[in-house]
């Protein structure tokens, strides 16, 4: 039964891990084919960055991991043809 949604959110990798396998060409093609099949515009598909990423992290190691995760997520979005990325800078942790 169709729900007639006009937008949706998604995760491009597991939400509680810092890294993930690279997207394969087959995964990218399948994702794009499904968007076309569902007639879902790419500008209404909003990926969300992993929860552990905190761009305001006060510690050097955590900040570096967060920056790398953010960059990886932007690259994954570009590979999927997505133009939006929903992220939260994180709590101050102090």
């Amino acid at each position: 039964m169709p729900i007639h949604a006009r937008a949706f959110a998604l995760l491009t990798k597991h939400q509680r891990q810092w890294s993930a396998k690279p997207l394969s060409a087959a995964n990218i093609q399948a994702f794009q084919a499904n968007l076309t099949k569902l007639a879902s515009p790419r500008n209404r598909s909003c990926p969300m960055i992993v929860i552990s990423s905190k761009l305001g992290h006060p510690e050097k190691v955590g900040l570096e991991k967060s920056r790398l995760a953010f960059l990886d997520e932007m690259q994954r979005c570009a590979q999927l043809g997505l133009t939006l990325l929903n992220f939260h800078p994180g709590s101050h942790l102090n």
Side-chain angles (χ1 to χ4, degrees):
M1 175 177 196
I3 61 172
H4 305 289
R6 298 184 62 194
F8 68 95
L10 68 133
L11 295 163
T12 68
K13 60 185 174 187
H14 192 282
Q15 64 185 4
R16 300 217 183 253
Q17 294 181 351
W18 286 103
S19 60
K21 293 187 324 185
L23 295 171
S24 69
N27 290 139
I28 294 167
Q29 290 172 347
F31 178 80
Q32 293 173 345
N34 282 321
L35 281 185
T36 301
K37 179 180 171 185
L38 297 172
S40 179
R42 283 166 176 72
N43 65 349
R44 291 196 181 146
S45 306
C46 189
M48 299 165 39
I49 195 163
V50 295
I51 294 170
S52 53
S53 180
K54 295 179 180 15
L55 297 176
H57 203 293
E59 298 171 6
K60 186 175 181 175
V61 173
L63 180 59
E64 183 66 21
K65 287 171 82 174
S66 294
R67 287 177 175 170
L68 291 173
F70 189 74
L71 178 60
D72 179 58
E73 196 66 39
M74 288 191 302
Q75 292 169 338
R76 294 169 82 81
C77 289
Q79 289 176 310
L80 295 171
L82 301 173
T83 59
L84 302 172
L85 175 59
N86 182 16
F87 74 97
H88 187 282
S91 62
H92 58 77
L93 299 175
N94 202 352

